[in-house]
């Protein structure tokens, strides 16, 4: 049966509301399993459901099973769209031959792009550092995404596929080019204008980046380091607080974490390829995972589904309460720093 969704992405197949058939984020207990988790049903009417995949590092001969099983899981979940937060291919500074870069994206198309589109799932993406390391990689990235542009209209596509925005239902999605820590003057000016316009229209925004808003300690095979964080992040946090940004999603760190920094809710999406780093301030290896999200205005719920079957949910109670620069998830989206530092906010968790 073909899924039928309303403008907000809520599945309307088979009934007037069709919410009883699906499993919402809050209905899957931490550490539990669900035979048919669904992001396209089960959310409140008017909410937006989607999946996030990050750091796939697609390259021949490595981790193909991890990626293809993740794609099958997303197809089973059946959201209206998926967002990829960078490092979709495993490009390196040595990837200077155009045919080598093109081959990575050809493999990505076979493993990920085409299967998702064939399932009726739109794909929105932003670049990571491994996607744009060289001129050959930049050419391959632009060629691929200009040939596979989403069919849904974009709010602003003047800089697509590097950075852009789109609306889904009543939610605004902002896609940043952050393969370097500086967004640059042009993109920063665009971001200011885009968010303020969305706020004036009464929309809450979700922002997606490759690099983090605040550094997370990376304890990975090969050593420990601080993650790359966006430059001028204090100004960015203020901009997000002032303009109804419900959450900031990012990749790069190869770990999964949900918390708040500077009054902004943050989700670090777990990896789907290459190295697995420790969950921040723990000795727990981050599993390969798909992140499932539901957004309804300033309220956002997320959870991670773990490899190998992407059915069992990651247990968020494993998060440490002492991650530098972060506190617990805020109810109702972005808030002031004073609210973030309150005892109530530290205890709040809106992730189901």
């Amino acid at each position: 049966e073909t899924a039928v969704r309303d403008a907000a992405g809520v599945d309307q197949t088979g009934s007037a509301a069709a919410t009883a058939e699906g499993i919402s984020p809050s209905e899957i207990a931490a550490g539990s399993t669900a035979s048919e988790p669904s992001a396209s049903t089960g959310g409140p009417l008017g909410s937006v459901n989607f999946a996030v995949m990050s750091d796939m590092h697609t390259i021949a001969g490595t981790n193909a099973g991890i990626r293809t099983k993740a794609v099958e899981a997303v197809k089973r979940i059946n959201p209206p769209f998926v967002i990829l937060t960078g490092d979709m291919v495993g490009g390196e500074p040595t990837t200077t031959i155009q045919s080598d870069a093109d081959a990575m994206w050809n493999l990505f198309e076979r493993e990920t792009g085409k299967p998702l589109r064939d399932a009726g799932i739109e794909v929105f993406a932003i670049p990571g550092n491994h996607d744009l390391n060289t001129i050959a990689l930049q050419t391959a990235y632009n060629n691929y995404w200009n040939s596979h542009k989403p069919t849904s209209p974009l709010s602003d596509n003047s800089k697509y596929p590097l950075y852009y925005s789109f609306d889904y239902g009543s939610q605004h999605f902002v896609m940043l080019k952050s393969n370097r820590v500086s967004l640059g003057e042009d993109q920063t000016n665009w971001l200011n204008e885009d968010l303020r316009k969305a706020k004036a229209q009464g929309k809450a925004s979700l922002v997606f980046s490759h690099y983090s808003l605040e550094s997370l300690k990376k304890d990975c095979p090969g050593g420990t380091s601080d993650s790359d964080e966006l430059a001028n992040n204090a100004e960015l946090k203020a901009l997000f607080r002032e303009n109804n940004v419900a959450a900031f999603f990012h990749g790069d760190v190869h770990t999964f974490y949900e918390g708040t920094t500077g009054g902004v809710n943050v989700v670090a999406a777990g990896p789907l390829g290459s190295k697995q780093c420790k969950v921040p301030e723990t000795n727990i290896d981050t599993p390969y995972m798909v992140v499932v999200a539901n957004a309804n205005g300033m309220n956002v719920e997320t959870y991670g589904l773990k490899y190998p079957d992407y059915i069992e949910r990651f247990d968020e109670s494993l998060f440490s309460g002492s991650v530098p620069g972060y506190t617990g998830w805020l109810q109702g989206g972005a808030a002031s720093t004073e609210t973030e530092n309150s005892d109530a906010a530290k205890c709040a968790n809106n992730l189901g």
Side-chain angles (χ1 to χ4, degrees):
E1 183 177 24
T2 301
V4 179
R5 302 184 182 90
D6 65 14
V10 178
D11 198 317
Q12 298 295 316
T13 305
S15 72
T19 57
E21 298 297 322
I23 300 175
S24 70
S26 61
E27 290 173 319
I28 301 181
S32 69
T33 62
S35 59
E36 290 296 329
S38 173
S40 62
T41 60
L45 189 64
S47 64
V48 179
N49 304 279
F50 59 95
V52 180
M53 303 170 75
S54 193
D55 295 273
M56 305 177 80
H57 291 261
T58 303
I59 192 169
T62 63
N63 297 324
I66 294 168
R67 298 188 296 267
T68 55
K69 285 186 177 182
V71 169
E72 289 303 309
V74 172
K75 289 166 60 178
R76 181 182 69 240
I77 295 166
N78 193 32
F81 61 90
V82 61
I83 291 178
L84 310 180
T85 55
D87 283 0
M88 291 155 283
V89 300
E92 297 291 349
T94 55
T95 310
T96 57
I97 299 173
Q98 192 62 56
S99 60
D100 292 343
D102 293 341
M104 294 180 188
W105 284 103
N106 290 337
L107 180 58
F108 173 87
E109 169 67 0
R110 293 194 300 273
E111 289 184 350
T112 303
K114 188 175 188 302
L116 290 174
R117 292 195 313 275
D118 286 351
I121 299 170
E122 286 208 89
V123 183
F124 297 89
I126 49 172
N129 52 304
H130 285 276
D131 301 317
L132 300 180
N133 259 325
T134 64
I135 292 175
L137 286 164
Q138 293 166 24
T139 300
Y141 175 90
N142 286 320
N143 287 344
Y144 179 84
W145 289 108
N146 280 317
S147 298
H148 299 91
K149 190 174 181 178
T151 57
S152 292
L154 304 180
S155 304
D156 185 341
N157 65 357
S158 59
K159 298 296 183 179
Y160 179 89
L162 298 176
Y163 58 91
Y164 57 99
S165 61
F166 65 96
D167 294 329
Y168 207 94
S170 60
Q171 209 83 24
H172 188 62
F173 292 78
V174 181
M175 311 289 284
L176 297 180
K177 174 183 178 288
S178 62
N179 60 303
R180 297 177 180 174
V181 295
S182 174
L183 296 180
E185 183 177 358
D186 288 347
Q187 185 177 193
T188 300
N189 291 339
W190 171 86
L191 176 62
N192 272 268
E193 181 178 352
D194 187 81
L195 286 175
R196 296 186 196 284
K197 182 179 178 181
K199 180 182 179 182
Q201 295 172 344
K203 296 173 181 175
S205 294
L206 300 173
V207 178
F208 297 82
S209 167
H210 184 61
Y211 284 150
S212 61
L213 188 58
E214 179 76 26
S215 182
L216 279 169
K217 183 71 71 176
K218 293 173 65 175
D219 185 356
C220 310
T224 301
S225 64
D226 290 326
S227 68
D228 292 307
E229 65 182 22
L230 294 178
N232 302 316
N233 61 0
E235 290 85 351
L236 289 173
K237 292 173 189 176
L239 176 68
F240 296 161
R241 290 195 304 270
E242 294 165 4
N243 289 281
N244 294 347
V245 171
F248 177 95
F249 291 75
H250 70 90
D252 180 58
V253 293
H254 287 247
T255 191
F256 180 53
Y257 184 69
E258 300 156 326
T260 301
T261 180
V264 180
N265 287 329
V266 170
V267 179
L272 282 169
S274 190
K275 60 190 175 185
Q276 296 169 272
C277 302
K278 304 291 185 185
V279 174
E281 304 300 318
T282 75
N283 196 37
I284 302 164
D285 289 330
T286 298
Y288 297 118
M289 68 169 63
V290 171
V291 175
V292 182
N294 174 277
N296 190 6
M298 292 298 290
N299 293 298
V300 180
E301 294 179 288
T302 63
Y303 62 90
L305 295 178
K306 304 190 299 182
Y307 177 82
D309 296 319
Y310 301 100
I311 291 176
E312 183 179 358
R313 173 175 164 171
F314 180 83
D315 185 356
E316 291 100 347
S317 70
L318 298 174
F319 293 146
S320 168
S322 59
V323 176
Y326 289 84
T327 60
W329 186 271
L330 291 172
Q331 294 282 2
S336 68
T337 303
E338 288 77 16
T339 302
E340 176 193 1
N341 290 332
S342 69
D343 291 338
K346 290 179 181 178
C347 295
N349 189 313
N350 196 32
L351 302 176

